[in-house]
Structure formats: C-alpha cells, structure tokens
Amino acid sequence: MSDYNGLTIGFHGCEEHIARDVILNRAELVASNNSYDWLGSGIYFWENDPVRALEFAEEVKKCSKPCVVGA
C-alpha cells in the first residue's frame, strides 16, 4: 500500500473526456458493473500505479483516448 503522510494515491483509467470532466467538476465517475469487475459493481482505482491504470484503459476498456485520473 502506498502511504504518503496518511494518504493513499489511487489511479483510475478512463477516456480522456471523462477525466477532463471529472477534474473540472462537470461530471462524476460512474460505477461499473462488468463481468471482469473483481469485487463487484464500483469505481476501481489502481493503488500507486498510474501505468497499470493506463494499460487497463487501453487494453481492457479499449478507450480511444486513454487517460488516467489520480485521487
């Protein structure tokens, strides 16, 4: 687990336009409900791994413009 002064950093892979809208507070991430969702319906973040989040957006989600949001 990554821990920076009590904070855990998570990275979410998604389409670029979704990342932009979330960052600009024009939208919220929406919970997924896919067969590959390991822990059931939810919003998934890769802990301290922006590269893996980007790979997920590219390879699993097949995003046309993959991007990563950190939280």
Side-chain angles (χ1 to χ4, degrees), residues 26-44:
R26 295 189 296 211
E28 294 182 2
L29 294 174
V30 177
S32 64
N33 190 15
N34 301 298
S35 60
Y36 55 78
D37 291 341
W38 304 302
L39 302 173
S41 180
I43 301 170
Y44 286 78

Side-chain angles (χ1 to χ4, degrees), residues 8-23:
T8 298
I9 310 298
F11 298 93
H12 179 80
C14 58
E15 288 284 356
E16 181 182 84
H17 71 92
I18 294 171
R20 184 182 316 109
D21 286 347
V22 167
I23 290 167

Side-chain angles (χ1 to χ4, degrees), residues 39-57:
L39 302 173
S41 180
I43 301 170
Y44 286 78
F45 288 81
W46 293 93
E47 191 173 308
N48 196 37
D49 201 345
V51 173
R52 185 63 189 106
L54 184 61
E55 290 171 350
F56 181 81

Side-chain angles (χ1 to χ4, degrees), residues 2-9:
S2 291
D3 191 356
Y4 301 96
N5 294 324
L7 297 176
T8 298
I9 310 298

Side-chain angles (χ1 to χ4, degrees), residues 46-71:
W46 293 93
E47 191 173 308
N48 196 37
D49 201 345
V51 173
R52 185 63 189 106
L54 184 61
E55 290 171 350
F56 181 81
E58 293 169 336
E59 298 168 11
V60 177
K61 296 198 75 169
K62 309 275 188 226
C63 294
S64 58
K65 287 188 171 185
C67 193
V68 173
V69 176

